[in-house]
Amino acid sequence: MSFVYRPTAEQPEILHADHELLVVAKPAGLLSVPGRGEDRADCLIARLRGAFPTVLLVHRLDLDTSGVM
């Protein structure tokens, strides 16, 4: 049996944003970075890049984990 990724529709909450730092609350059910394959492209970093094109991650959280990043 293979895993089917169904990302949450819940959007990350922006907790802080300035010219140097972006702090967000990642919802559970969303990858931090893209997985292998186009079906796993929807992830936190992809959603954030729409508004913050130069954003980089300094750490990751597991798919099922919510938390501050």
Side-chain angles (χ1 to χ4, degrees):
M1 180 188 276
S2 65
F3 171 75
V4 176
Y5 176 52
R6 292 187 178 90
T8 181
E10 183 180 352
Q11 294 299 312
E13 178 185 356
I14 297 173
L15 304 174
H16 175 84
D18 64 32
H19 69 284
E20 293 183 347
L21 186 67
L22 178 64
V23 180
V24 300
K26 182 190 93 60
L30 182 65
L31 291 169
S32 295
V33 296
R36 291 190 179 138
E38 281 203 30
D39 60 325
R40 297 179 183 176
D42 184 8
C43 62
L44 176 71
I45 194 74
R47 291 183 184 187
L48 293 174
R49 284 207 171 125
F52 305 94
T54 60
V55 70
L56 300 171
L57 289 179
V58 295
H59 73 94
R60 299 182 298 182
L61 293 175
D62 292 337
L63 170 68
D64 294 328
T65 304
S66 64
V68 175
M69 299 182 62

